[in-house]
């Protein structure tokens, strides 16, 4: 979510992620943290206490995502469309993250960055009817 705060209005989600990962590549520590997170996400599948914590983290992500979406939609953060889009997009990210984590940890699957971006982007696009993933046309005063 921290990187999404750098997402410019003129960029699609996919273009932003590709550019952002090029400009801000993950450090070895970040990669190690991601692997540990995937293991915990897999454990959360069958452990109610971990599941509750994971869902709380996802709820916090939704709160962080709402202002980003509000800016892209030119709506208030507390607008129902903004809130629904943030909730739907965050659930989409959670589900894809869980699926990828299970595949990586349990089945030794491998995903490259482009594949992860494609899976996440498709899920977010499918989750809402609002064009939150598309570049935002320039707004002119009074329009």
């Amino acid at each position: 979510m921290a990187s999404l705060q750098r997402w410019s209005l003129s960029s699609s989600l996919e273009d932003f992620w590709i550019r952002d990962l090029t400009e801000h590549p993950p450090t070895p520590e970040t990669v190690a943290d991601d692997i540990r997170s995937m293991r915990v996400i897999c454990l959360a599948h069958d452990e109610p206490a971990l599941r509750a914590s994971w869902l709380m983290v996802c709820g916090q992500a939704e709160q962080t995502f709402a202002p980003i979406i509000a800016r892209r939609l030119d709506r208030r953060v507390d607008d129902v469309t903004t809130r629904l889009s943030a909730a739907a997009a965050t659930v989409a990210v959670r589900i894809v993250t869980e699926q990828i984590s299970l595949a990586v940890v349990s089945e030794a699957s491998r995903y490259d960055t482009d594949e992860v971006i494609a899976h996440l982007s498709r899920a977010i696009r499918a989750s809402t009817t609002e064009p939150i993933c598309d570049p935002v046309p320039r707004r002119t005063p009074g329009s």
Side-chain angles (χ1 to χ4, degrees), residues 69 73 75 81-82 85 124-125 128-134:
I69 291 174
L73 296 177
R75 293 177 179 260
T81 300
T82 301
S85 294
I124 293 170
R125 284 181 181 280
T128 179
T129 58
E130 298 300 319
I132 62 172
C133 297
D134 297 329

Side-chain angles (χ1 to χ4, degrees), residues 64-97:
T64 303
F65 204 18
I68 296 165
I69 291 174
R71 183 171 164 256
R72 297 191 74 76
L73 296 177
D74 197 24
R75 293 177 179 260
R76 294 185 336 265
V77 172
D78 63 351
D79 178 86
V80 71
T81 300
T82 301
R83 293 182 62 213
L84 285 170
S85 294
T90 305
V91 168
V93 169
R94 177 181 59 82
I95 290 169
V96 169
T97 301

